[in-house]
Amino acid sequence: MIRLHVIRIIPFLLALAFNCSGQTTKPVRYRSEIGSYFATSGETPFWLRANQYGIVPQEAALMTLRHAMRVDYHDAPKTKLDSLRAANRRIDWGWGAEAVLNAGYSYKLLIPEAYVKVKFGKGLEVWAGRRREIIGLVDSTLTSGSYAWSGNALPMLKIQLSVPDYLPRNSLFGFKGFYAHGWFEEDRFVKNTLLHQKALYGRFGKPHWRLKLYGGINHQVMWGGNTERLPGSVIKNNQLPNRFSDYIDVVTAVSLGNRTNLDTNRISAFDRENRIGNHLGTVDLGFEYIGRTFSIFAYRQNIYETGSLFHLDNIRDGLNGLRIRNLRPINPDGFQIQAVLIEYLFTENQGGAIFSDELHLHGRNNYFNHSQYQDGWSRLGQTMGTPFITPSGDSRTDLPRYGFTNNNRVAVMHIGLSGQVMDFFRFQVKASYSENLGTYEKPFDHPVHQFSSVMSVSAPLSILHGITANASVATDIGDLFYNSLGFYVGIRKEGQSRGNRR
C-alpha cells in the first residue's frame, strides 16, 4: 500500500510544479543508443558490466537498445532578465526516464530510470521514482566504485528529500544531504524488504578558494519484510520488526541490547542482541586543491557495518582515492590526458577474525552478508556497493560458496585514465588488480588474484550529425573469474527538442 501511495505522489509533484513554476515549456533532452556485446567465454567481462546500473547482462547480449529522455531544471541565469525571472521562480521541476532492451539468448526489458523531481527555492529537492545515484566522496567517472552505493545495480523505487548542493552557496561552511525511503524488489529471501537511507556532508572553504575540505557520513539500512524461511530465534512470527517505533530505532541506529521494554513476542533474540535491520555505510573525508593548470581531489571512505569503526577495530578497511585533473585548455591537434585516478580498496581486516562482546572484540564484520537478509546488500542479485565484493555466483565454480558474497575480504589496486586525441577521439581506461581471500566463514584455500581492465574510445561521425561511435575492449585474467576477452560496439545519438527556455 505504501508503494502505491508513493506512485500517486508522482503526478501530484508534477501538478504542483506546473502550477507554481510559471513558464514550464523546457526542452526535452534525449539519448538513444544501439550496440552489441561479444565475449570469448560467453560472459561479459567485469569492467564492461560493473557500475553500469545493472543494465549490462552477465551473458553477452547480441543487441542492446537504449533510449533515455529528461527535462532538467532551468539553466543558470545568463542575462539580467534571466536573473529576474529566476528570482521570481519559487518552484522548478524536471523528470527523467530510460528504457533498456537486451536481446540475446533471452530478452529483457529494464527501466533504470523513471522519476519526477521538484525543486523548492534555491536548494530543497523532492523526487520520487527510480534514479541513477552514487553516494559518497568519490570520483564518479573513473572510480572502482563508491563502497556503499556505487551504481552497480539497477536503481530501486525511492522517495527522497534532499539538499543536493552545498548550502549556503558562498559561505565558509556548506552542507548538503538527503533523507530517503525505498523498496527492494519483491522476489527476495525476505519479501517486502524496505530501505532507509540518509546522508550528511559538509564543506569547509568558500567555492572560489583553492583549498576546500570535505567530510560526511552516509547510512543505509535494510529493514522490515517477512519470510517463512527463518527459525523463531532469528525472526518472530515470520515478520521482521516493521512498526513505526521500529522505524525510529532504524533511523537512530540504536542498539537494543540494554532495552528492557521490548516486546519479546514480537522482537527476536537476534534483533535484541543487535539492531533492527542490516546497517552499513561509510564515514568520508576528503580535500580538493585547485591550481592554475591542475586540480587534486583526495578522499578516504571508512567502512562501518557492525560497530567496529566506532571502536576503530576495522580502521584499516576502506577506500582511498587520489584524482589529478588537467585544467589546461584542450589541445585540438595533439594528445592530452585529462584525468588520472589511483584508488586502493582494502576490506581484508574486518576488525579481525573474532567477534565477542565479552572480550570486547568486534571483528568478523562479514561485509554485505547478513543472517536475516540472506540476499545480502544486493538488488536483483547484483551488489549495490563496490563491485569488488562479488556475488557468489560470479566467481569460478571451484571456489567455496557462502551467503550472498563468498568474497568480501579483498585488496584492490585500481587505476583510471581519461583523455582525448586531436579533439576527435576520446578515451577512458580502467585497470584493476585484486587479491581475494574469500570470507572469514569460508576462506579461499589460497589468495586468489585477478586482473580486469577496459579501454573505451568514442568519436563523432561527421557524416551523421549528432551521432557518436563507441567501442570498448575488456579483459579478465586470473583465478576469480574465468578468463575472458570481450567487446562492445555501438552508436549513440544525443540531442534535444526545441523548447521555450524562459
Side-chain angles (χ1 to χ4, degrees):
M1 292 298 295
I2 298 177
R3 192 188 304 244
L4 291 175
H5 291 321
V6 171
I7 294 174
R8 291 169 184 162
I9 288 174
I10 294 177
F12 169 76
L13 292 176
L14 280 174
L16 178 64
F18 273 82
N19 289 333
C20 300
S21 61
Q23 180 65 44
T24 60
T25 303
K26 295 187 285 187
V28 177
R29 293 176 169 87
Y30 66 87
R31 184 184 69 254
S32 299
E33 186 166 356
I34 181 172
S36 297
Y37 291 93
F38 308 93
T40 57
S41 69
E43 289 195 358
T44 310
F46 176 83
W47 267 125
L48 283 181
R49 53 188 168 86
N51 295 336
Q52 297 298 311
Y53 294 93
I55 67 173
V56 179
Q58 189 156 355
E59 293 183 350
L62 299 179
M63 182 179 68
T64 180
L65 293 171
R66 304 169 186 171
H67 184 69
M69 298 184 297
R70 75 179 195 276
V71 170
D72 295 322
Y73 296 133
H74 286 85
D75 293 334
K78 296 180 180 180
T79 67
K80 290 184 178 180
L81 182 58
D82 289 341
S83 299
L84 180 61
R85 288 169 176 160
N88 294 328
R89 188 182 302 120
R90 294 173 299 167
I91 296 180
D92 206 349
W93 60 274
W95 57 267
E98 181 182 12
V100 176
L101 175 65
N102 293 321
Y105 297 106
S106 61
Y107 294 83
K108 197 164 191 178
L109 178 64
L110 303 171
I111 308 295
E113 285 199 309
Y115 66 89
V116 294
K117 59 181 181 179
V118 178
K119 183 172 69 174
F120 300 87
K122 295 183 178 181
L124 186 64
E125 179 185 76
V126 178
W127 66 265
R130 290 182 179 178
R131 193 175 182 184
R132 294 177 180 235
E133 294 178 288
I134 296 174
I135 297 173
L137 290 181
V138 74
D139 174 82
S140 60
T141 303
L142 297 173
T143 181
S144 63
S146 189
Y147 175 78
W149 197 274
S150 70
N152 188 61
L154 192 73
M156 67 173 64
L157 179 64
K158 290 173 55 178
I159 180 168
Q160 181 165 298
L161 174 68
S162 69
V163 177
D165 300 310
Y166 289 105
L167 292 178
R169 296 186 187 281
N170 297 312
S171 68
L172 181 61
F173 293 94
F175 297 91
K176 69 177 183 178
F178 67 85
Y179 190 95
H181 181 81
W183 295 263
F184 286 83
E185 69 275 15
E186 177 67 21
D187 186 18
R188 295 181 66 91
F189 183 87
V190 175
K191 300 182 182 300
N192 302 309
T193 301
L194 303 174
L195 171 74
H196 166 70
Q197 197 175 45
K198 58 182 176 288
L200 179 64
Y201 283 82
R203 182 200 67 211
F204 174 76
K206 295 187 176 182
H208 65 275
W209 284 13
R210 292 192 180 276
L211 179 65
K212 293 181 282 290
L213 306 179
Y214 300 93
I217 183 172
N218 59 79
H219 181 212
Q220 353 277 325
V221 190
M222 306 173 72
W223 71 286
N226 54 81
T227 183
E228 299 177 356
R229 301 161 69 180
L230 287 171
S233 60
V234 179
I235 178 175
K236 286 285 189 178
N237 303 317
N238 300 329
Q239 175 67 58
L240 281 92
N242 66 342
R243 296 184 181 180
F244 182 75
S245 59
D246 301 323
Y247 176 68
I248 299 301
D249 290 336
V250 164
V251 172
T252 57
V254 64
S255 174
L256 305 185
N258 297 322
R259 293 270 291 273
T260 58
N261 60 341
L262 295 175
D263 182 357
T264 57
N265 293 318
R266 191 175 62 85
I267 304 294
S268 71
F270 183 94
D271 293 311
R272 294 198 303 273
E273 294 170 359
N274 296 277
R275 290 173 173 82
I276 291 176
N278 177 22
H279 297 247
L280 60 95
T282 61
V283 178
D284 303 350
L285 297 170
F287 75 86
E288 182 180 29
Y289 175 79
I290 302 176
R292 293 183 178 179
T293 60
F294 70 95
S295 68
I296 295 175
F297 178 41
Y299 49 87
R300 160 77 179 185
Q301 295 186 358
N302 297 285
I303 300 168
Y304 70 86
E305 190 154 338
T306 63
S308 293
L309 184 61
F310 179 80
H311 300 279
L312 301 182
D313 291 337
N314 71 331
I315 193 64
R316 292 176 56 195
D317 292 345
L319 175 68
N320 308 278
L322 175 65
R323 184 200 68 202
I324 302 174
R325 180 171 287 167
N326 187 354
L327 301 181
R328 293 183 178 90
I330 295 174
N331 180 2
D333 300 318
F335 173 86
Q336 187 176 56
I337 300 294
Q338 294 177 331
V340 177
L341 172 70
I342 300 174
E343 281 187 341
Y344 182 63
L345 171 68
F346 187 82
T347 68
E348 292 182 357
N349 179 259
Q350 300 190 20
I354 301 173
F355 179 86
S356 172
D357 285 329
E358 292 79 9
L359 299 176
H360 303 288
L361 297 174
H362 304 87
R364 224 174 180 88
N365 290 174
N366 205 8
Y367 300 146
F368 293 1
N369 281 321
H370 197 262
S371 297
Q372 290 175 318
Y373 300 94
Q374 294 188 11
D375 292 311
W377 186 237
S378 73
R379 171 155 162 74
L380 298 172
Q382 295 173 312
T383 306
M384 292 195 295
T386 172
F388 285 91
I389 296 183
T390 52
S392 293
D394 284 6
S395 59
R396 293 186 181 228
T397 56
D398 58 342
L399 294 173
R401 293 293 187 262
Y402 173 80
F404 161 68
T405 174
N406 63 341
N407 181 42
N408 56 25
R409 299 183 61 217
V410 301
V412 182
M413 178 59 70
H414 171 79
I415 296 176
L417 186 73
S418 66
Q420 67 178 51
V421 180
M422 300 179 63
D423 198 25
F424 183 71
F425 285 103
R426 287 172 172 78
F427 64 88
Q428 184 182 95
V429 177
K430 292 183 179 181
S432 310
Y433 182 78
S434 63
E435 176 186 70
N436 305 271
L437 303 183
T439 63
Y440 275 120
E441 282 68 19
K442 284 194 176 181
F444 295 162
D445 293 336
H446 56 82
V448 172
H449 297 95
Q450 179 67 39
F451 174 79
S452 297
S453 67
V454 65
M455 180 174 182
S456 302
V457 297
S458 64
L461 300 179
S462 58
I463 58 174
L464 297 172
H465 181 67
I467 297 288
T468 301
N470 308 291
S472 301
V473 56
T475 58
D476 285 338
I477 303 172
D479 297 320
L480 182 65
F481 309 129
Y482 290 104
N483 293 345
S484 181
L485 176 65
F487 304 89
Y488 173 75
V489 291
I491 57 173
R492 181 178 67 244
K493 180 173 176 59
E494 298 182 61
Q496 68 179 42
S497 67
R498 292 185 178 180
N500 189 335
R501 301 178 63 82
R502 295 176 59 188

